C-alpha cells in the first residue's frame, strides 16, 4: 500500500509530506505560518551549527587545535555541514544515538583538502591523511556520491 500522505517516521520529516502541509495551511493564518516557517528555519540552523561544533570539538580532541586553527576551520566546517547535512542525516539518522564523533567527523571530509592542509600543522595533517580520513573514507565516498546523485536529479 502506497500513500504519500502518511508519515511512518523514517521517510523524512513531517513537513516533507502533503498531509502535514495541508493541515498547517488550515490550522494557521498566513502570519502564523510565516512565524512557524521562521522558527523551523531557526531550529534547523541551530541544529546544523551544533553539528559543526560537534565536529570542531572532535577535531580539537584529536588534534589539539590552536585558537587560530579553530577560528579558521569553523566557517569551513559550517559550510560543509550546510552542504551535506541532509546527506549525513540520510546516512546516519538524526537521533542523538547516531550523532557520535565517530560519524560526525565524516562531514569534515567535505572541507576542501587544500584548505585543511593550509590550516593544520604537519603532524595534524599526517594524522588526518594517514589515519582518520582513511577510517571514514567509505562513508564519505557514499555520502558524496549520494549528494551528487541527488543534485543531478534536480
Amino acid at each position: 500500500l502506497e500513500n504519500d500522505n502518511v508519515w511512518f517516521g523514517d521517510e523524512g520529516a513531517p513537513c516533507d509530506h502533503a498531509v502535514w502541509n495541508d493541515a498547517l495551511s488550515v490550522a494557521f493564518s498566513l502570519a502564523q505560518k510565516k512565524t512557524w516557517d521562521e522558527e523551523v528555519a531557526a531550529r534547523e540552523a541551530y541544529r546544523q551549527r551544533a553539528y559543526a561544533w560537534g565536529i570542531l570539538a572532535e577535531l580539537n580532541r584529536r588534534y589539539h587545535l590552536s585558537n587560530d586553527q579553530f577560528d579558521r576551520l569553523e566557517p569551513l566546517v559550517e559550510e560543509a555541514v550546510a552542504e551535506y547535512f541532509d546527506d549525513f542525516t540520510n546516512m546516519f539518522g538524526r537521533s542523538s544515538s547516531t550523532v557520535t564523533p565517530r560519524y560526525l567527523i565524516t562531514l569534515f571530509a567535505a572541507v576542501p583538502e587544500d584548505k585543511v592542509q593550509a590550516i593544520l600543522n604537519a603532524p595534524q595533517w599526517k594524522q588526518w591523511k594517514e589515519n582518520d580520513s582513511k577510517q571514514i573514507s567509505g562513508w564519505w565516498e557514499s555520502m558524496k556520491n549520494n549528494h551528487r546523485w541527488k543534485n543531478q536529479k534536480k
Side-chain angles (χ1 to χ4, degrees):
L1 180 65
E2 195 172 306
N3 185 341
D4 288 338
N5 294 328
V6 178
W7 183 58
F8 293 102
D10 290 334
E11 301 173 5
C15 62
D16 294 335
H17 298 275
V19 69
W20 178 261
N21 291 314
D22 292 346
L24 288 181
S25 68
V26 171
F28 288 165
S29 69
L30 289 177
Q32 289 171 319
K33 178 71 166 82
K34 182 178 185 251
T35 300
W36 172 267
D37 290 341
E38 288 169 354
E39 181 61 27
V40 168
R43 289 178 184 210
E44 186 67 13
Y46 179 83
R47 182 178 294 113
Q48 288 185 20
R49 185 151 172 82
Y51 273 62
W53 274 67
I55 294 163
L56 289 163
E58 179 62 12
L59 293 173
N60 189 47
R61 185 189 73 78
R62 293 178 185 212
Y63 306 129
H64 308 286
L65 300 174
S66 69
N67 289 339
D68 179 62
Q69 288 175 312
F70 188 98
D71 290 343
R72 291 170 61 200
L73 285 171
E74 184 176 13
L76 299 173
V77 171
E78 287 177 350
E79 186 177 322
V81 170
E83 178 72 20
Y84 289 94
F85 183 75
D86 289 338
D87 305 290
F88 179 86
T89 58
N90 286 338
M91 180 177 276
F92 295 109
R94 287 181 176 243
S95 77
S96 60
S97 63
T98 60
V99 183
T100 65
R102 176 179 179 211
Y103 300 132
L104 273 178
I105 201 76
T106 306
L107 286 164
F108 185 58
V111 176
E113 197 172 86
D114 60 326
K115 293 181 179 183
V116 172
Q117 189 172 12
I119 296 170
L120 298 181
N121 63 35
Q124 291 167 330
W125 175 248
K126 182 178 180 182
Q127 172 69 22
W128 170 248
K129 281 306 287 179
E130 294 181 8
N131 296 309
D132 298 338
S133 69
K134 288 181 181 179
Q135 291 175 2
I136 54 95
S137 65
W139 293 330
W140 169 239
E141 288 302 317
S142 179
M143 191 183 311
K144 185 171 59 174
N145 289 335
N146 287 334
H147 184 79
R148 278 193 208 124
W149 178 78
K150 177 182 74 178
N151 288 332
Q152 287 173 354
K153 285 178 47 175
K154 290 182 180 179

